[in-house]
Amino acid sequence: MNGKNTLVAYFSATGTTERVAEMIAEATGGTLYEITPEKEYTAADLNWRDESSRSSVEMHDLSFRPAIVRDLKNAGDYDVIYIGFPIWWNLAPTVVNTFIEAYGFDGKTVIPFATSGGSGITNSAAQLKKQYPDINWQSGKLLNNPSRADIEAWVK
């Protein structure tokens, strides 16, 4: 992706995805950007065993779009966008949809990456491709505890 203006955008509720995003930004020379919900997720919000927790409610209604802080400047200037997220209920959290819809990446090259305690990225990546068919999606990767060498090899 040399010569391309690269954005590494990520949502990280606990810091796991953030660490991976930082390594990708370093390996690509890209701009690191955190997808920030207007209301931060608390530990109680993330309790997937509680059907009334915020994350459970959001993921049971996939049309839900949590508000985000919209402070990404010049979103249209990026040629390649890596989008990272933790996998929730075998999907990207709905806050990722808010980000994609807020900035619109139609025609752009977008590469998903994810972290997960138990799910692969296949279903979440397929769902994003289905929801946003005008984006030039590239193969995504699950990156649980990668080394810098793993990241560098993948981004090449």
Side-chain angles (χ1 to χ4, degrees):
M1 298 296 167
N2 287 343
K4 301 280 186 180
N5 198 5
T6 301
L7 175 68
V8 180
Y10 68 93
F11 166 68
S12 186
T14 63
T16 303
T17 306
E18 179 179 26
R19 287 186 290 280
V20 175
E22 288 169 348
M23 288 192 284
I24 293 171
E26 184 178 308
T28 62
T31 300
L32 186 64
Y33 177 78
E34 181 178 7
I35 300 167
T36 306
E38 281 187 1
K39 181 182 175 205
E40 185 176 338
Y41 288 86
T42 65
D45 291 336
L46 299 173
N47 182 357
W48 60 272
R49 291 184 176 105
D50 178 359
E51 288 188 22
S52 65
S53 74
R54 180 177 165 199
S55 60
S56 295
V57 169
E58 290 175 6
M59 294 308 293
H60 288 304
D61 177 2
L62 297 180
S63 68
F64 193 86
R65 297 294 182 264
I68 61 171
V69 175
R70 292 189 59 172
D71 59 356
L72 176 61
K73 306 291 186 234
N74 305 317
D77 292 349
Y78 294 99
D79 303 306
V80 177
I81 301 98
Y82 288 84
I83 298 180
F85 50 88
I87 295 176
W88 291 359
W89 289 265
N90 207 24
L91 297 169
T94 55
V95 71
V96 171
N97 298 85
T98 304
F99 172 73
I100 292 169
E101 292 167 12
Y103 292 105
F105 298 113
D106 289 358
K108 301 286 185 173
T109 297
V110 177
I111 306 163
F113 66 95
T115 57
S116 175
S119 299
I121 194 171
T122 304
N123 191 63
S124 58
Q127 183 66 25
L128 288 170
K129 288 177 187 180
K130 180 180 173 185
Q131 289 177 281
Y132 307 103
D134 295 329
I135 291 175
N136 179 19
W137 292 99
Q138 300 299 302
S139 294
K141 188 157 182 77
L142 186 67
L143 296 165
N144 288 332
N145 300 313
S147 68
R148 292 202 184 282
D150 294 335
I151 296 291
E152 288 171 6
W154 180 59
V155 301
K156 284 182 182 179

